[in-house]
Amino acid sequence: MYTLNLKQMTKQEFLDEYWQKKPVVIRQGFKNFIDPIAADELAGLAMEEQIESRLVHKKDGQWQAAFGPFESYEHLGTKNWSLVVQALDNVSEEAAEIIEAFRFIPHWRLDDLMASFAMPGGSVGPHRDNYDTFICQGSGKRHWRVGDNGDHVEFAAHEALLHVEAFEAIIDVKLEAGDILYIPPGFPHEGISLDTSMSFSVGFRGNSAVSVLSAFADHLIDNDKGSQLLTDPNRQVVSHSGEVSNDDYTSIKSQVQNLLDDDESFKKFTGQFLTSAKHDLDILVPDEPFELTEVSNLLNSHAIKRLGGLRAFYFEDTIEQGLCYINGSELAFSAVIANGVKLLCDKVMLLPDDLSEWSRNAAFVELATELLNQGYWYLAEVE
Ligand code: SIN
Ligand code: CO
């Protein structure tokens, strides 16, 4: 278990002072930090097809980048390269535990856990991200510089590397195992490994309003709501045919606005959008589907765990009506099990004691059976 230690600061004070506002170093944010995964295991993962990974190195002063899967690392030598693996939480339960320390931020904001292994001198170069990131230093040391979020010129140092021009540092530190660097979106930063090192970045996604709007338009089209025409049945004769009248403009705008104001439709879209997986899930469907009759007993004797990276959320007001969102779909269930479903969405692991009220409830058992059979949740021995 990784316990976040903010020293004298409360979590709310961190949010008030730094979240989305300015970067900060949290020394020993994790005490006695141990890498959840070994470097060679990470390198092995980056050889797999379904894993999103990137190698960055400098050759003759030129930045080079390549996307995995990789066959070997031997050509890279022992200096000036780094390997980045996205969505490690989808494939490593141990690494995913780091995310649990950041549960004071709602999970719908989370993107993924990224791991980075670097040889001495290794770096991905100076850049900005559209993410709030907590860079948790693992083994080894890295030198980090972070600049202010003013205007920074970006350029392609390589076709797959968007860098920023040299910047003045407002933070200039060496991080050691257990130190955490929080960087809000837009602040330029660069980390250079001082020896062989690992870091684990918990990234919180920042969608642009335009990307949400564009995805909403796609959602309406996919749901056959895209062909509705703008209407004007009360048209009056005009003498200026080149003019768009104020009334016409207001009517167009309000008809578009109505699409967003339809809360039922926009909420359904938002739930599906926020729970859509950004990185491939490692779904394992059980060989033999579970039977309803056995699941009640299994919930009494086993822990139930959510598949790594699976997104499951509910809205504060519609959960009581029996609606939640899992992996990009809306799921309706009996409203009497709303509190049980909240537990499934709030916690990645539930023990028999957590479910004592629910493991004998027919509606809950039916839902749990469906989720187990989809491979979205799985059973684990109680430790
Ligand atoms: C890295 O750890 O190599 C890059 C992390 C980041 O800059 O976001
Ligand atoms: Co970054």
Side-chain angles (χ1 to χ4, degrees), residues 292 295-296 299-300 304 333-334 336-345 350-352 354-372 377:
L292 274 178
V295 167
S296 177
L299 294 179
N300 270 320
I304 177 167
F333 52 85
S334 161
V336 297
I337 60 166
N339 285 338
V341 176
K342 278 188 191 181
L343 286 176
L344 287 170
C345 295
L350 293 167
L351 296 167
D354 299 319
L355 292 177
S356 54
E357 192 185 330
W358 303 108
S359 51
R360 266 177 283 275
N361 178 304
F364 188 86
V365 170
E366 191 181 327
L367 178 72
T369 308
E370 192 182 323
L371 296 172
L372 288 168
W377 268 259

Side-chain angles (χ1 to χ4, degrees), residues 53-101:
S53 60
R54 207 161 54 125
L55 263 176
V56 180
H57 73 287
K58 249 184 169 174
K59 196 174 162 211
D60 306 328
Q62 284 292 309
W63 287 97
Q64 307 288 335
F67 293 96
F70 302 106
E71 283 177 8
S72 144
Y73 304 95
E74 270 162 27
H75 61 291
L76 296 163
T78 54
K79 271 194 187 141
N80 301 338
W81 62 272
S82 74
L83 170 71
V84 171
V85 172
Q86 294 292 151
L88 187 61
D89 48 320
N90 289 20
V91 288
S92 164
E93 261 183 46
E94 294 78 14
E97 294 250 329
I98 296 176
I99 292 173
E100 294 309 294

Side-chain angles (χ1 to χ4, degrees), residues 11-318:
K11 288 170 178 160
Q12 190 57 54
E13 281 165 352
F14 165 80
L15 294 176
D16 292 344
E17 181 79 15
Y18 299 105
W19 175 252
Q20 296 246 297
K21 300 170 197 78
K22 55 184 180 204
V24 63
V25 175
I26 305 162
R27 289 281 180 203
Q28 290 306 287
F30 291 122
K31 288 202 172 113
N32 308 317
F33 186 92
I34 309 269
D35 292 339
I37 186 166
D40 56 350
E41 243 183 292
L42 194 70
L45 279 175
M47 292 176 152
E48 291 180 21
E49 189 70 47
Q50 77 281 11
I51 302 289
E52 205 181 305
S53 60
R54 207 161 54 125
L55 263 176
V56 180
H57 73 287
K58 249 184 169 174
K59 196 174 162 211
D60 306 328
Q62 284 292 309
W63 287 97
Q64 307 288 335
F67 293 96
F70 302 106
E71 283 177 8
S72 144
Y73 304 95
E74 270 162 27
H75 61 291
L76 296 163
T78 54
K79 271 194 187 141
N80 301 338
W81 62 272
S82 74
L83 170 71
V84 171
V85 172
Q86 294 292 151
L88 187 61
D89 48 320
N90 289 20
V91 288
S92 164
E93 261 183 46
E94 294 78 14
E97 294 250 329
I98 296 176
I99 292 173
E100 294 309 294
F102 297 94
R103 285 255 167 201
F104 62 100
I105 298 160
H107 210 96
W108 69 262
R109 287 284 275 111
L110 179 79
D111 187 54
D112 73 340
L113 177 75
M114 185 192 90
S116 142
F117 164 80
M119 285 290 191
S123 171
V124 298
H127 66 281
R128 297 195 292 193
D129 294 314
N130 292 328
Y131 295 81
D132 295 88
T133 316
F134 293 90
I135 299 172
C136 308
Q137 183 62 40
S139 56
K141 296 188 189 69
R142 266 186 218 183
H143 176 198
W144 281 97
R145 294 177 67 256
V146 185
D148 218 338
N149 66 339
D151 286 337
H152 292 278
V153 178
E154 292 185 301
F155 64 99
H158 173 275
E159 59 186 356
L161 284 179
L162 190 61
H163 279 178
V164 286
E165 296 278 10
F167 58 84
E168 234 176 86
I170 54 169
I171 286 181
D172 190 329
V173 283
K174 286 185 186 120
L175 294 194
E176 300 192 12
D179 293 338
I180 300 173
L181 171 60
Y182 164 71
I183 309 176
F187 286 71
H189 53 280
E190 177 175 35
I192 301 177
S193 197
L194 297 171
D195 42 27
T196 302
S197 71
M198 296 275 272
S199 80
F200 301 88
S201 301
V202 182
F204 288 87
R205 77 167 94 189
N207 289 301
S208 70
V210 170
S211 69
V212 176
L213 203 56
S214 159
F216 181 48
D218 290 342
H219 167 89
L220 292 175
I221 292 165
D222 292 347
N223 287 277
D224 290 332
K225 290 186 184 152
S227 54
Q228 210 174 315
L229 302 176
L230 294 172
T231 59
D232 57 350
N234 302 321
R235 176 65 54 215
Q236 304 292 303
V237 171
V238 296
S239 45
H240 300 284
S241 66
E243 177 186 80
V244 181
S245 70
N246 287 344
D247 281 354
D248 279 351
Y249 168 74
T250 306
S251 165
I252 293 168
K253 190 173 163 189
S254 82
Q255 290 182 67
V256 173
Q257 186 80 52
N258 285 344
L259 295 172
L260 280 173
D261 287 346
D262 179 347
D263 256 331
E264 197 179 318
S265 150
F266 191 65
K267 208 164 248 181
K268 178 173 178 168
F269 153 73
T270 307
Q272 294 180 344
F273 178 73
L274 294 178
T275 56
S276 294
K278 197 173 162 203
H279 307 275
D280 284 351
L281 295 172
D282 194 18
I283 298 180
L284 263 184
V285 176
D287 295 336
E288 284 284 319
F290 290 100
E291 301 282 343
L292 274 178
T293 44
E294 64 183 322
V295 167
S296 177
N297 285 337
L298 287 168
L299 294 179
N300 270 320
S301 56
H302 287 70
I304 177 167
K305 285 188 173 177
R306 192 194 306 169
L307 177 71
L310 185 90
R311 300 169 74 83
F313 308 131
Y314 57 88
F315 289 106
E316 195 177 347
D317 54 356
T318 54

